[in-house]
Amino acid sequence: MKKFIYSMLAVLSLSTTSCVNLDLNPPAEASVETWFTTEEQFDMACKDFYREALWYLETRQNIGTTDRWTEDWMQRETGYDWMLGTVDGKTGWIGTAWLNTYKAITRTNAIINNAKKQRGVMNDAVLDRFEGEARMFRAIYYSYLIFHWGDVPYYDEYQTIESAYQLGRMKKSEVLEKIYTDFDEAIRLLPKNNTSSLVRACKATAYAFKARTAIWMMDYPTAKDAAKACIDEKVYSLDSDYSRLFLPSTTSSPEWIFVFPRSVELGKTISMKSFLPRTPIGTKKGGTAVAGPSMEALLAYTCTDGKTVDESPLYDPQKPWLNRDPRCAKTLVLPESTFFGLEFDPSKKKVMDYVSNKQVENIDSRMFNQAEDGSKYKNNIYAQYSGVMIRKGADETWWDNGFACAPPNIVMRYADVLLMYAEAKIELNECDDEARAALNEVRARAYNGSGLQYPEITATDQKALRKEYRVERHMELMWENRHWFDLIRWKLCDFLNDRPTIGFPSGKAMKNAVARGDYFFPKGSKPNIDENGLVDMTPIIEAAKVANGGEPYYVHPVTRKFNPDGHQYLFPLPSEDVMLVFGENNPGY
């Protein structure tokens, strides 16, 4: 609790060397009163909000912080705490996320209140930009707090220890009104365009985040207006190339709204070893293939006729990677494809390494592979379970510097704004040309360069269009930290309860399945895609039990847990704060 109180009292700091060090910097002798006296000092303070430590719930994992809690993720026999239902008030990252967010809020307050003091002393237009940025970020930080914790302490002024202890929790609805006020004031104060060489906030940025906050709160009228205002600002547009958005070599895009850039030169990297194939490529070492997309992620993509796999005649259970929306192959490494010169095919004993121009042992197959001397079988039990790997954002730098690379961390991009606008209109039962146009703009871009005509979304019925929208959103934003937020706000997490993570077996069961034609999936089997576009693997699991005469075809490494009482829709408050101040935690904790 002391840490929480001190975060409220902390003066604003800026760290340029560490993404976790939130201690005072500039040096301790500079107080709030003496620091905010020049444009340079305000500018340094505002730049502090463009680093990952203050966005802990988006950035605490190298990749896919919240994707790891959904059906899109497969990590061998590993399950993460939220998906296993084990998060409580003593969970370490809960306390860190809570504390870091309040530290960030304290810093926004310092900028806003000191900007007011400098009115008439410094240039008002300059102060407008700084105050506008700080108000936008304060609104964003509080939006995370109410989304994850519900009722939370709210403060926008300096707090003494005594007053901090008396804060209590403000109702979520009341905090939301203050958030909207901050967004509106930010929109008034911020410039129309970013004139900096860096990614900095402008009016359209604030509109985009206001739309996301409203979408999170299921406030569809506000979301529609904010998303439309962002679109009408004409500051952002879709990138013509979907794949380049996520590459380490991409340093700018007309689609990026809020992005954390990374840099090998500055040591801002993440390790990609867990996401790379185990089979070496040329002189490059293999990765570990510990984590990757799930089979459900593969099945979430529509076929090229726009229909889901359970409805499309183009879907083939033995080759489920064929005839799929182009984003499938741009997001996943699929069988019968190449990955930087390596043939990827989990059904083969050997694959082609086109870099060294020779056949090599396929370490990415879970079959029993006969040793070269023919004496025994070798079981590659650590091969990736799901038969697909991650391609989104991959380039050759993933192998460099000890697997340390620097892909951008995208928090908000323009495609999401178009999708939010469509969602808001659909939920308001405005299933008109504008709603479909926003969806089709996103889908059409996905087919750029494919040589195929994109399947236009034409549904007019609300229920049908809602399903098409949710499928489209899932495909477009796959593995971008958005799907779990959608499951939470749509109250669909009970779908995950008692659902096992599914993967190939190893050894003879895999070999026999391939031999009899039950690879990739059992013959004739299809998943169910429900009204929300979510993939139910039950029919495939049941078909496998029949098809192979009792021989286990799938492994179930981890079973997801979501408590039926629904308490996991909110995070627990940190236990120390509950004991010392709040008296009780969120229900169920």
Side-chain angles (χ1 to χ4, degrees):
M1 186 61 206
K2 289 181 180 178
K3 292 179 181 178
F4 174 58
I5 297 298
Y6 291 158
S7 75
M8 294 182 178
L9 305 177
V11 297
L12 183 141
S13 67
L14 174 66
S15 170
T16 59
T17 59
S18 170
C19 64
V20 294
N21 178 11
L22 301 183
D23 293 333
L24 192 63
N25 183 4
E29 62 265 27
S31 68
V32 174
E33 289 74 20
T34 61
W35 177 252
F36 291 103
T37 56
T38 69
E39 179 178 340
E40 181 184 19
Q41 290 167 352
F42 273 101
D43 191 49
M44 288 178 66
C46 284
K47 285 178 180 176
D48 199 34
F49 302 119
Y50 296 85
R51 64 188 177 96
E52 294 178 304
L54 299 182
W55 296 71
Y56 193 71
L57 290 164
E58 294 275 4
T59 63
R60 73 182 185 89
Q61 299 279 9
N62 280 348
I63 189 170
T65 295
T66 57
D67 292 315
R68 299 169 189 242
W69 300 334
T70 75
E71 78 280 12
D72 292 339
W73 189 272
M74 160 61 76
Q75 193 161 340
R76 292 186 191 158
E77 298 180 3
T78 298
Y80 286 86
D81 46 18
W82 188 89
M83 70 172 281
L84 297 176
T86 60
V87 169
D88 61 25
K90 295 181 180 179
T91 300
W93 60 262
I94 288 287
T96 303
W98 174 265
L99 179 61
N100 282 17
T101 307
Y102 273 110
K103 284 186 176 182
I105 287 169
T106 298
R107 296 170 192 197
T108 63
N109 291 341
I111 293 173
I112 294 166
N113 293 327
N114 279 280
K116 292 176 182 177
K117 292 178 182 178
Q118 293 298 326
R119 296 289 178 178
V121 178
M122 293 176 58
N123 183 286
D124 276 354
V126 171
L127 290 172
D128 283 351
R129 179 165 66 85
F130 296 140
E131 184 179 341
E133 279 190 281
R135 285 187 177 275
M136 184 194 78
F137 285 119
R138 183 166 70 183
I140 292 169
Y141 293 135
Y142 272 120
S143 74
Y144 278 94
L145 288 171
I146 63 173
F147 182 83
H148 290 298
W149 282 280
D151 300 346
V152 296
Y154 181 92
Y155 64 101
D156 55 13
E157 298 285 347
Y158 175 81
Q159 298 291 314
T160 65
I161 291 179
E162 291 74 18
S163 62
Y165 271 107
Q166 298 302 314
L167 274 176
R169 297 170 72 181
M170 183 180 285
K171 289 183 178 180
K172 174 180 172 179
S173 58
E174 295 176 12
V175 178
L176 181 60
E177 289 305 312
K178 292 179 178 293
I179 288 171
Y180 284 160
T181 298
D182 265 344
F183 273 128
D184 292 342
E185 190 65 2
I187 290 163
R188 183 183 72 83
L189 294 169
L190 284 168
K192 181 174 178 59
N193 293 292
N194 172 33
T195 57
S196 169
S197 60
L198 304 173
V199 177
R200 295 292 288 267
C202 61
K203 291 183 188 298
T205 318
Y207 277 128
F209 277 103
K210 183 180 181 182
R212 176 173 287 176
T213 299
I215 281 283
W216 281 355
M217 298 298 114
M218 312 291 273
D219 176 3
Y220 288 114
T222 301
K224 183 186 80 168
D225 292 345
K228 184 64 164 62
C230 179
I231 294 167
D232 290 345
E233 285 288 317
K234 300 186 185 303
V235 172
Y236 306 111
S237 60
L238 292 182
D239 200 306
S240 61
D241 185 347
Y242 180 79
S243 294
R244 76 174 291 273
L245 281 168
F246 316 102
L247 296 174
S249 59
T250 301
T251 57
S252 65
S253 169
E255 188 163 342
W256 287 355
I257 295 177
F258 194 84
V259 177
F260 293 110
R262 296 187 173 110
S263 167
V264 173
E265 291 75 19
L266 296 177
K268 296 285 291 182
T269 62
I270 61 174
S271 173
M272 303 308 299
K273 187 175 183 179
S274 296
F275 304 98
L276 290 171
R278 296 173 61 79
T279 307
I281 305 175
T283 60
K284 297 181 184 295
K285 295 180 179 179
T288 61
V290 171
S294 63
M295 288 180 167
E296 289 95 327
L298 168 64
L299 294 170
Y301 289 88
T302 61
C303 293
T304 51
D305 57 5
K307 297 179 179 180
T308 53
V309 295
D310 59 339
E311 297 179 348
S312 174
L314 300 177
Y315 175 71
D316 180 355
Q318 275 60 66
K319 293 192 175 184
W321 51 89
L322 298 181
N323 304 314
R324 307 298 293 281
D325 184 289
R327 285 167 293 193
C328 185
K330 292 177 180 180
T331 303
L332 312 179
V333 181
L334 302 172
E336 297 186 349
S337 70
T338 58
F339 191 50
F340 296 97
L342 177 70
E343 179 187 8
F344 182 78
D345 193 332
S347 71
K348 292 184 176 181
K349 174 184 175 182
K350 288 196 172 187
V351 290
M352 188 68 186
D353 176 359
Y354 292 100
V355 176
S356 59
N357 198 31
K358 63 180 181 181
Q359 292 274 321
V360 296
E361 181 184 0
N362 185 10
I363 308 177
D364 294 295
S365 172
R366 293 182 60 77
M367 295 172 62
F368 272 91
N369 290 334
Q370 193 169 16
E372 293 298 327
D373 61 6
S375 61
K376 59 181 179 179
Y377 285 94
K378 181 178 181 181
N379 187 355
N380 290 320
I381 60 173
Y382 296 114
Q384 220 284 343
Y385 285 11
S386 66
V388 291
M389 301 191 70
I390 187 71
R391 188 187 293 274
K392 201 170 198 175
D395 69 7
E396 292 189 353
T397 66
W398 280 28
W399 283 268
D400 297 338
N401 307 300
F403 302 101
C405 76
N409 186 343
I410 302 172
V411 176
M412 176 79 78
R413 58 185 178 93
Y414 183 64
D416 198 357
V417 175
L418 290 171
L419 291 169
M420 289 189 291
Y421 179 62
E423 178 180 342
K425 287 182 68 66
I426 293 167
E427 295 305 324
L428 293 169
N429 205 17
E430 298 175 12
C431 302
D432 54 20
D433 289 343
E434 280 194 354
R436 288 186 292 274
L439 287 175
N440 283 317
E441 186 176 351
V442 174
R443 178 169 287 188
R445 187 270 300 274
Y447 280 75
N448 283 354
S450 69
L452 300 170
Q453 177 65 35
Y454 80 93
E456 186 176 359
I457 294 172
T458 59
T460 57
D461 172 75
Q462 185 186 42
K463 184 176 180 180
L465 192 55
R466 178 186 291 126
K467 179 177 179 178
E468 289 213 58
Y469 165 77
R470 292 185 177 186
V471 170
E472 184 67 23
R473 181 174 178 84
H474 195 181
M475 292 191 293
E476 175 69 20
L477 301 173
M478 178 76 73
W479 270 49
E480 292 183 48
N481 236 14
R482 303 270 62 91
H483 184 51
W484 177 84
F485 283 86
D486 292 339
L487 294 177
I488 289 286
R489 64 191 180 87
W490 290 332
K491 296 294 185 289
L492 295 178
C493 291
D494 56 342
F495 168 84
L496 297 172
N497 191 40
D498 291 331
R499 292 291 177 96
T501 56
I502 305 299
F504 290 138
S506 58
K508 291 183 178 179
M510 176 71 171
K511 184 178 181 181
N512 291 342
V514 172
R516 66 173 173 264
D518 282 329
Y519 168 88
F520 196 89
F521 294 120
K523 291 192 291 286
S525 66
K526 289 186 177 183
N528 286 329
I529 310 298
D530 73 10
E531 64 182 3
N532 295 298
L534 299 175
V535 178
D536 179 2
M537 294 281 286
T538 303
I540 293 177
I541 297 170
E542 292 176 347
K545 290 177 181 177
V546 173
N548 53 32
E551 182 182 76
Y553 181 57
Y554 289 101
V555 289
H556 303 172
V558 180
T559 297
R560 305 177 183 98
K561 293 291 182 184
F562 185 82
N563 197 297
D565 69 8
H567 74 263
Q568 287 168 258
Y569 282 116
L570 289 178
F571 287 156
L573 299 166
S575 294
E576 288 186 356
D577 294 358
V578 172
M579 289 186 294
L580 294 174
V581 176
F582 302 128
E584 61 181 9
N585 213 319
N586 279 331
Y589 294 104

